[in-house]
Amino acid sequence: MNSDQKIIIIVDDDATALQMGRGVFSGSYRVYTCKSGALMFELLEKIIPNIILLDIEMPDASGYEVLTKLRASEKTAAIPVVLLTALTSEEAELKGFSMGVVDFISKPISAHRLLARVESHLLIESQRHELVNYSLNLEKMVDEKTKSVVELKNTLLKTMAELVEHRDAITGIHIDRTQQDLRVLLDAMKKHGVYADEISMYDEDLIVHSSALHDIGKIAIKEYILFKPGPLTEEEFEEMKKHAAHGEKIIMQIMQNTNDHDFLEHAKTFAISHHEKWDGTGYPHGLKGQDIPLLGRMMAIVDVYDALISDRSYKKALAHDEAVKMILEGSGTHFDPKLTELFIKISDKFEKKS
């Protein structure tokens, strides 16, 4: 067994689930399986894993009880935990996320998806440790080291965004294109003096990279909704709308584990406000006009524009001119009128990239 391999502990009273887990991860990782939380805690006296996959429904102690004990110990509090369960209720998922779990995977589990999700979390956790270490020593770093910190932040953001991509097939290219469009819009705002006082304080690269997490809350949305090959029902759409609040909560959880909050503050703003509307009919808080953060108002335009020009399971992509017309029609209702006017003025720059 390679001592350099990362360690995964799987806790489940179902022998079949444990066998599948060993099959998925053996070879690339050191895998330990336990039939109960009690056996896991005995194992934790000897080793500290890089991640724990924990079943919720176990006879001796539930996954939530095991998780509470894990979080109560300084030795095990920071170990990333993924909950595995056949439960499908929103309450069960939100309870897990409120207790600090990094993911919630429903049974029956796809081996391919399980491997992809766990690998993403292991990469994020590894980079988080590096980021914290860099932050603690930031004052001692020379300019080259400072540049490395910025690159590490960007890599962390990209990795987290790719984690969502494992759950939503459209997210990856959507993130790339909205980042490009956001930079075009921000450059035009500087050139034409739109909201000049506020954007003069922006670090453009930090803003653009942070926007990659605007849809991170989709990780908490049920998979059958994300992958549905057609329009959502009213009830399903209400569930999908919750991704904005989920995104804010997830980013706030990350902020508790790092000393550097600037780029995460921007990411949180994008996540919670990009579906608010100028006339107050958006979600999740129904903010109106300039009560909506400027970052959210900017993202609203580039987010909707990209959705309009993209194929979806329930619609065909619109032509650039049609999309621009719809954005214009939303001025003063959906979108900030000043930003809409600027978008129309520079729309040819979006067309060349679409």
Side-chain angles (χ1 to χ4, degrees), residues 120 123-129 131-132 149-163 209 212-213 216 254 258 260 263-264:
S120 294
L123 180 57
I124 288 171
E125 184 64 13
S126 174
Q127 292 177 335
R128 186 186 71 79
H129 280 300
L131 181 59
V132 171
V149 174
V150 174
E151 292 174 349
L152 183 60
K153 289 177 184 176
N154 296 340
T155 301
L156 175 60
L157 288 168
K158 183 66 174 177
T159 303
M160 294 183 67
E162 288 173 350
L163 174 60
H209 285 297
L213 297 186
I216 191 68
I254 298 169
T258 178
D260 193 351
F263 70 104
L264 290 174

Side-chain angles (χ1 to χ4, degrees), residues 188-203:
M189 290 169 69
K190 293 177 179 178
K191 180 179 179 180
H192 294 278
V194 177
Y195 296 116
D197 290 344
E198 186 165 352
I199 67 173
S200 66
M201 299 181 291
Y202 286 176
D203 178 329

Side-chain angles (χ1 to χ4, degrees), residues 112-135:
H112 175 75
R113 190 168 297 155
L114 177 64
L115 178 61
R117 301 260 284 274
V118 168
E119 286 182 337
S120 294
H121 285 299
L122 288 171
L123 180 57
I124 288 171
E125 184 64 13
S126 174
Q127 292 177 335
R128 186 186 71 79
H129 280 300
E130 291 183 48
L131 181 59
V132 171
N133 290 336
Y134 269 114
S135 298

Side-chain angles (χ1 to χ4, degrees), residues 214-251:
H214 72 276
D215 275 336
I216 191 68
K218 285 185 177 180
I219 196 174
I221 301 300
K222 295 179 176 63
E223 291 182 357
Y224 82 89
I225 294 177
L226 291 176
F227 293 111
K228 185 176 181 181
L232 301 179
T233 65
E234 183 177 345
E235 181 180 15
E236 290 167 344
F237 182 59
E238 288 300 314
E239 179 70 19
M240 176 65 85
K241 285 163 63 175
K242 295 175 183 177
H243 80 273
H246 289 326
E248 180 186 49
K249 180 177 289 188
I250 291 167
I251 293 170

Side-chain angles (χ1 to χ4, degrees), residues 323-325 327-329 339-348 350:
V324 170
K325 181 181 178 182
I327 297 291
L328 178 60
E329 290 172 350
L339 293 179
T340 306
E341 181 182 1
L342 179 62
F343 172 82
I344 300 303
K345 185 180 296 185
I346 63 168
S347 61
D348 61 312
F350 292 84

Side-chain angles (χ1 to χ4, degrees), residues 313-354:
S313 59
Y314 52 89
K315 75 169 189 69
K316 292 294 185 181
L318 296 182
H320 167 76
D321 290 344
E322 294 177 281
V324 170
K325 181 181 178 182
M326 292 188 70
I327 297 291
L328 178 60
E329 290 172 350
S331 179
T333 54
H334 192 151
F335 308 114
D336 180 330
K338 287 186 179 180
L339 293 179
T340 306
E341 181 182 1
L342 179 62
F343 172 82
I344 300 303
K345 185 180 296 185
I346 63 168
S347 61
D348 61 312
K349 295 184 178 181
F350 292 84
E351 182 177 21
K352 292 174 183 178
K353 298 165 28 309
S354 64

